[in-house]
Amino acid sequence: NLALDLSKKIKHKFYEAQAYRSIGMAILYQQKFDSSLTLFYSALEIFTELDSLKGVSEIYNLIGASYFYKGEFNKTLEFWKKELEINENNNDTNLIARGLMNLGVVHKNMDEYDRAISFYQQALKIREERKDSLEMAQILNNIGNIYFQFRGNYTTALENYIKALDIYKKKGDRDNEAHLLNSIGLIYYKQEQLKLSLDNLNQALSIFEENKDKYKEKIAEVQTNLGLLHAKLGNF
Protein backbone atom coordinates (compact mmCIF):
# COMPACT_ATOMS: atom_id res chain seq x y z
CA ASN A 1 0.00 0.00 0.00
CA LEU A 2 2.91 2.36 0.71
CA ALA A 3 4.32 1.46 -2.68
CA LEU A 4 1.00 2.27 -4.33
CA ASP A 5 0.78 5.66 -2.59
CA LEU A 6 4.37 6.56 -3.54
CA SER A 7 3.87 5.41 -7.13
CA LYS A 8 0.86 7.68 -7.50
CA LYS A 9 2.71 10.55 -5.83
CA ILE A 10 5.64 10.39 -8.25
CA LYS A 11 3.32 9.46 -11.13
CA HIS A 12 5.17 6.26 -11.99
CA LYS A 13 2.54 4.15 -13.75
CA PHE A 14 4.61 0.95 -13.99
CA TYR A 15 5.26 0.85 -10.24
CA GLU A 16 1.61 1.64 -9.66
CA ALA A 17 0.61 -1.39 -11.70
CA GLN A 18 3.15 -3.53 -9.83
CA ALA A 19 1.69 -2.37 -6.53
CA TYR A 20 -1.85 -3.24 -7.63
CA ARG A 21 -0.57 -6.68 -8.64
CA SER A 22 1.20 -7.25 -5.31
CA ILE A 23 -1.77 -6.14 -3.22
CA GLY A 24 -4.02 -8.28 -5.39
CA MET A 25 -1.85 -11.31 -4.74
CA ALA A 26 -2.00 -10.74 -0.97
CA ILE A 27 -5.78 -10.46 -1.20
CA LEU A 28 -5.93 -13.56 -3.39
CA TYR A 29 -4.08 -15.57 -0.72
CA GLN A 30 -6.73 -14.39 1.75
CA GLN A 31 -9.33 -15.91 -0.61
CA LYS A 32 -11.05 -12.56 -1.23
CA PHE A 33 -11.40 -13.26 -4.91
CA ASP A 34 -13.69 -10.43 -5.97
CA SER A 35 -11.39 -7.89 -4.31
CA SER A 36 -8.30 -9.44 -5.90
CA LEU A 37 -9.96 -9.26 -9.31
CA THR A 38 -10.63 -5.52 -8.89
CA LEU A 39 -6.95 -4.92 -8.16
CA PHE A 40 -5.74 -7.16 -10.98
CA TYR A 41 -8.00 -5.39 -13.49
CA SER A 42 -6.53 -2.05 -12.33
CA ALA A 43 -3.03 -3.43 -12.95
CA LEU A 44 -4.09 -4.85 -16.31
CA GLU A 45 -5.40 -1.48 -17.49
CA ILE A 46 -2.06 0.20 -16.74
CA PHE A 47 0.11 -2.59 -18.18
CA THR A 48 -2.01 -2.46 -21.35
CA GLU A 49 -1.53 1.33 -21.59
CA LEU A 50 2.23 0.86 -21.14
CA ASP A 51 2.26 -1.91 -23.76
CA SER A 52 4.03 -4.19 -21.24
CA LEU A 53 3.36 -7.66 -22.61
CA LYS A 54 5.16 -9.30 -19.69
CA GLY A 55 3.00 -7.40 -17.22
CA VAL A 56 -0.17 -8.19 -19.15
CA SER A 57 0.77 -11.88 -19.28
CA GLU A 58 1.37 -12.03 -15.53
CA ILE A 59 -1.95 -10.34 -14.81
CA TYR A 60 -3.83 -12.66 -17.16
CA ASN A 61 -2.41 -15.53 -15.12
CA LEU A 62 -3.54 -13.99 -11.83
CA ILE A 63 -7.00 -13.04 -13.10
CA GLY A 64 -7.40 -16.60 -14.35
CA ALA A 65 -6.34 -17.93 -10.95
CA SER A 66 -8.90 -15.74 -9.18
CA TYR A 67 -11.69 -17.01 -11.42
CA PHE A 68 -10.41 -20.59 -10.97
CA TYR A 69 -10.75 -20.39 -7.19
CA LYS A 70 -14.17 -18.80 -7.62
CA GLY A 71 -15.14 -21.87 -9.65
CA GLU A 72 -15.75 -19.81 -12.81
CA PHE A 73 -13.81 -22.11 -15.10
CA ASN A 74 -14.90 -20.61 -18.43
CA LYS A 75 -13.56 -17.22 -17.35
CA THR A 76 -10.38 -18.95 -16.18
CA LEU A 77 -9.93 -20.51 -19.62
CA GLU A 78 -10.51 -17.15 -21.29
CA PHE A 79 -7.64 -15.46 -19.47
CA TRP A 80 -5.24 -18.40 -19.33
CA LYS A 81 -5.61 -18.87 -23.09
CA LYS A 82 -4.77 -15.18 -23.59
CA GLU A 83 -1.71 -15.62 -21.38
CA LEU A 84 -0.65 -18.71 -23.35
CA GLU A 85 -0.96 -16.85 -26.65
CA ILE A 86 1.43 -14.12 -25.45
CA ASN A 87 3.96 -16.68 -24.23
CA GLU A 88 3.72 -18.64 -27.48
CA ASN A 89 4.42 -15.46 -29.45
CA ASN A 90 7.46 -14.88 -27.24
CA ASN A 91 8.48 -18.54 -27.56
CA ASP A 92 8.90 -18.76 -23.78
CA THR A 93 8.85 -22.56 -23.46
CA ASN A 94 8.84 -22.53 -19.65
CA LEU A 95 5.72 -20.37 -19.46
CA ILE A 96 4.12 -22.21 -22.40
CA ALA A 97 4.50 -25.50 -20.53
CA ARG A 98 3.11 -23.91 -17.36
CA GLY A 99 0.15 -22.54 -19.31
CA LEU A 100 -0.64 -25.90 -20.92
CA MET A 101 -0.46 -27.54 -17.51
CA ASN A 102 -2.85 -24.94 -16.08
CA LEU A 103 -5.33 -25.51 -18.89
CA GLY A 104 -5.17 -29.23 -18.18
CA VAL A 105 -6.03 -28.57 -14.54
CA VAL A 106 -9.05 -26.47 -15.52
CA HIS A 107 -10.41 -29.08 -17.93
CA LYS A 108 -9.88 -31.77 -15.28
CA ASN A 109 -12.00 -29.69 -12.87
CA MET A 110 -14.62 -29.37 -15.61
CA ASP A 111 -14.70 -33.20 -15.90
CA GLU A 112 -13.29 -32.95 -19.43
CA TYR A 113 -10.67 -35.62 -18.94
CA ASP A 114 -9.64 -36.21 -22.56
CA ARG A 115 -8.90 -32.52 -23.02
CA ALA A 116 -7.08 -32.40 -19.69
CA ILE A 117 -4.84 -35.31 -20.69
CA SER A 118 -4.17 -33.71 -24.07
CA PHE A 119 -2.94 -30.48 -22.45
CA TYR A 120 -0.91 -32.42 -19.88
CA GLN A 121 0.80 -34.40 -22.64
CA GLN A 122 1.63 -31.24 -24.58
CA ALA A 123 3.14 -29.75 -21.43
CA LEU A 124 5.02 -32.98 -20.72
CA LYS A 125 6.61 -32.97 -24.17
CA ILE A 126 7.99 -29.46 -23.61
CA ARG A 127 9.24 -30.34 -20.12
CA GLU A 128 11.00 -33.39 -21.54
CA GLU A 129 12.69 -31.26 -24.20
CA ARG A 130 13.77 -28.80 -21.50
CA LYS A 131 14.80 -31.63 -19.15
CA ASP A 132 12.69 -30.09 -16.37
CA SER A 133 12.51 -33.31 -14.38
CA LEU A 134 10.48 -32.19 -11.35
CA GLU A 135 7.89 -30.51 -13.58
CA MET A 136 7.77 -33.73 -15.63
CA ALA A 137 7.05 -35.69 -12.47
CA GLN A 138 4.21 -33.35 -11.52
CA ILE A 139 2.57 -33.75 -14.92
CA LEU A 140 3.01 -37.53 -14.89
CA ASN A 141 1.36 -37.59 -11.47
CA ASN A 142 -1.58 -35.52 -12.77
CA ILE A 143 -2.02 -37.84 -15.75
CA GLY A 144 -1.86 -40.85 -13.44
CA ASN A 145 -4.52 -39.33 -11.19
CA ILE A 146 -6.98 -39.00 -14.06
CA TYR A 147 -6.48 -42.58 -15.21
CA PHE A 148 -6.72 -43.87 -11.64
CA GLN A 149 -9.51 -41.78 -10.16
CA PHE A 150 -11.75 -41.11 -13.16
CA ARG A 151 -11.00 -43.80 -15.72
CA GLY A 152 -10.26 -46.87 -13.61
CA ASN A 153 -7.37 -47.59 -15.98
CA TYR A 154 -4.95 -48.88 -13.37
CA THR A 155 -2.29 -50.05 -15.81
CA THR A 156 -1.83 -46.65 -17.45
CA ALA A 157 -2.09 -44.86 -14.10
CA LEU A 158 0.62 -47.12 -12.68
CA GLU A 159 2.93 -46.47 -15.64
CA ASN A 160 2.72 -42.72 -15.07
CA TYR A 161 3.04 -42.99 -11.30
CA ILE A 162 6.17 -45.16 -11.51
CA LYS A 163 7.84 -42.74 -13.93
CA ALA A 164 7.08 -39.86 -11.56
CA LEU A 165 8.26 -41.88 -8.56
CA ASP A 166 11.62 -42.60 -10.22
CA ILE A 167 12.17 -38.87 -10.76
CA TYR A 168 11.30 -37.96 -7.17
CA LYS A 169 13.63 -40.67 -5.85
CA LYS A 170 16.51 -39.41 -8.00
CA LYS A 171 15.86 -35.83 -6.87
CA GLY A 172 15.57 -36.81 -3.21
CA ASP A 173 12.04 -35.39 -2.98
CA ARG A 174 10.86 -37.51 -0.04
CA ASP A 175 7.47 -35.85 0.38
CA ASN A 176 6.30 -36.45 -3.17
CA GLU A 177 7.88 -39.90 -3.12
CA ALA A 178 5.60 -40.80 -0.20
CA HIS A 179 2.50 -39.48 -1.97
CA LEU A 180 3.31 -41.59 -5.03
CA LEU A 181 4.01 -44.70 -2.97
CA ASN A 182 0.58 -44.36 -1.36
CA SER A 183 -1.12 -44.02 -4.76
CA ILE A 184 0.83 -46.96 -6.18
CA GLY A 185 -0.08 -49.03 -3.12
CA LEU A 186 -3.75 -48.29 -3.72
CA ILE A 187 -3.51 -49.37 -7.36
CA TYR A 188 -1.88 -52.66 -6.40
CA TYR A 189 -4.69 -53.11 -3.86
CA LYS A 190 -7.26 -52.65 -6.63
CA GLN A 191 -5.34 -55.13 -8.79
CA GLU A 192 -5.32 -57.71 -5.96
CA GLN A 193 -1.50 -57.58 -5.84
CA LEU A 194 -1.61 -57.39 -2.07
CA LYS A 195 2.08 -58.04 -1.30
CA LEU A 196 3.13 -55.17 -3.58
CA SER A 197 0.39 -53.00 -2.08
CA LEU A 198 1.66 -53.73 1.43
CA ASP A 199 5.27 -52.91 0.51
CA ASN A 200 4.39 -49.56 -1.06
CA LEU A 201 2.00 -48.48 1.69
CA ASN A 202 4.53 -49.33 4.39
CA GLN A 203 7.20 -47.31 2.58
CA ALA A 204 4.79 -44.36 2.27
CA LEU A 205 3.94 -44.54 5.98
CA SER A 206 7.60 -44.68 6.96
CA ILE A 207 8.40 -41.51 4.99
CA PHE A 208 5.36 -39.58 6.22
CA GLU A 209 6.26 -40.47 9.81
CA GLU A 210 9.60 -38.70 9.31
CA ASN A 211 7.59 -35.48 9.49
CA LYS A 212 4.67 -36.35 11.76
CA ASP A 213 3.53 -32.81 12.52
CA LYS A 214 3.21 -31.89 8.84
CA TYR A 215 1.59 -35.12 7.66
CA LYS A 216 -0.83 -36.16 10.40
CA GLU A 217 -3.73 -36.48 7.94
CA LYS A 218 -1.66 -38.41 5.38
CA ILE A 219 -0.43 -40.76 8.10
CA ALA A 220 -4.05 -41.40 9.11
CA GLU A 221 -4.97 -41.99 5.44
CA VAL A 222 -2.17 -44.50 4.88
CA GLN A 223 -2.94 -46.26 8.17
CA THR A 224 -6.56 -46.58 7.06
CA ASN A 225 -5.41 -48.06 3.74
CA LEU A 226 -3.17 -50.49 5.60
CA GLY A 227 -6.06 -51.45 7.86
CA LEU A 228 -8.23 -52.30 4.86
CA LEU A 229 -5.39 -54.23 3.29
CA HIS A 230 -4.70 -56.31 6.40
CA ALA A 231 -8.43 -57.03 6.73
CA LYS A 232 -8.39 -58.35 3.17
CA LEU A 233 -5.35 -60.47 4.03
CA GLY A 234 -7.21 -61.84 7.08
CA ASN A 235 -4.78 -60.20 9.53
CA PHE A 236 -7.53 -58.96 11.82
Side-chain angles (χ1 to χ4, degrees):
N1 280 316
L2 286 170
L4 180 61
D5 290 341
L6 286 168
S7 301
K8 289 181 176 179
K9 186 175 181 180
I10 63 174
K11 297 181 179 174
H12 198 301
K13 299 297 287 184
F14 182 81
Y15 288 161
E16 183 182 342
Q18 291 279 48
Y20 280 128
R21 186 198 66 167
S22 298
I23 299 168
M25 289 175 68
I27 298 296
L28 176 62
Y29 291 137
Q30 293 178 340
Q31 300 183 358
K32 299 174 182 176
F33 306 124
D34 290 328
S35 297
S36 70
L37 280 167
T38 300
L39 290 154
F40 292 145
Y41 276 116
S42 295
L44 179 62
E45 183 178 350
I46 296 172
F47 280 133
T48 303
E49 289 174 8
L50 297 175
D51 200 25
S52 171
L53 283 178
K54 182 180 179 183
V56 169
S57 173
E58 289 177 352
I59 296 300
Y60 281 159
N61 178 267
L62 292 167
I63 291 174
S66 296
Y67 282 122
F68 179 80
Y69 291 118
K70 276 169 63 71
E72 297 183 26
F73 299 133
N74 286 323
K75 293 293 288 184
T76 301
L77 288 174
E78 176 188 338
F79 283 93
W80 280 355
K81 284 179 179 178
K82 289 179 179 180
E83 179 204 5
L84 180 61
E85 184 178 351
I86 291 173
N87 293 325
E88 285 176 336
N89 289 336
N90 290 333
N91 197 31
D92 189 326
T93 56
N94 179 48
L95 292 180
I96 291 169
R98 186 189 74 176
L100 292 166
M101 172 80 162
N102 286 343
L103 291 174
V105 171
V106 181
H107 284 291
K108 180 252 183 184
N109 278 272
M110 296 173 74
D111 300 331
E112 297 174 351
Y113 303 122
D114 286 339
R115 298 198 72 182
I117 290 170
S118 175
F119 281 114
Y120 286 152
Q121 289 174 335
Q122 291 176 63
L124 181 61
K125 183 179 179 182
I126 295 173
R127 292 302 185 190
E128 287 172 341
E129 291 169 354
R130 289 172 50 88
K131 296 182 170 56
D132 295 332
S133 56
L134 286 174
E135 287 78 6
M136 288 165 53
Q138 183 184 3
I139 297 168
L140 289 164
N141 185 37
N142 284 9
I143 294 172
N145 288 342
I146 289 179
Y147 280 110
F148 179 30
Q149 297 171 9
F150 305 106
R151 290 288 168 79
N153 186 336
Y154 303 135
T155 301
T156 304
L158 191 59
E159 289 172 359
N160 284 278
Y161 282 153
I162 288 173
K163 288 177 184 177
L165 178 63
D166 288 343
I167 293 171
Y168 287 133
K169 282 183 174 180
K170 288 175 183 175
K171 291 291 184 179
D173 188 332
R174 299 281 285 169
D175 289 356
N176 279 311
E177 180 183 344
H179 287 288
L180 263 297
L181 287 165
N182 182 49
S183 296
I184 291 169
L186 288 174
I187 288 181
Y188 283 133
Y189 179 85
K190 295 283 188 181
Q191 293 179 327
E192 300 288 332
Q193 299 187 64
L194 302 185
K195 175 64 170 61
L196 287 171
S197 178
L198 183 62
D199 289 345
N200 281 274
L201 290 175
N202 277 329
Q203 288 181 62
L205 182 62
S206 177
I207 296 172
F208 282 132
E209 286 182 336
E210 293 172 5
N211 197 343
K212 290 184 179 180
D213 291 336
K214 182 178 179 182
Y215 286 117
K216 287 179 181 177
E217 290 184 6
K218 290 303 295 185
I219 289 170
E221 179 186 327
V222 179
Q223 287 174 329
T224 301
N225 294 337
L226 281 166
L228 292 169
L229 175 59
H230 281 295
K232 197 163 192 174
L233 288 165
N235 300 327
F236 302 118

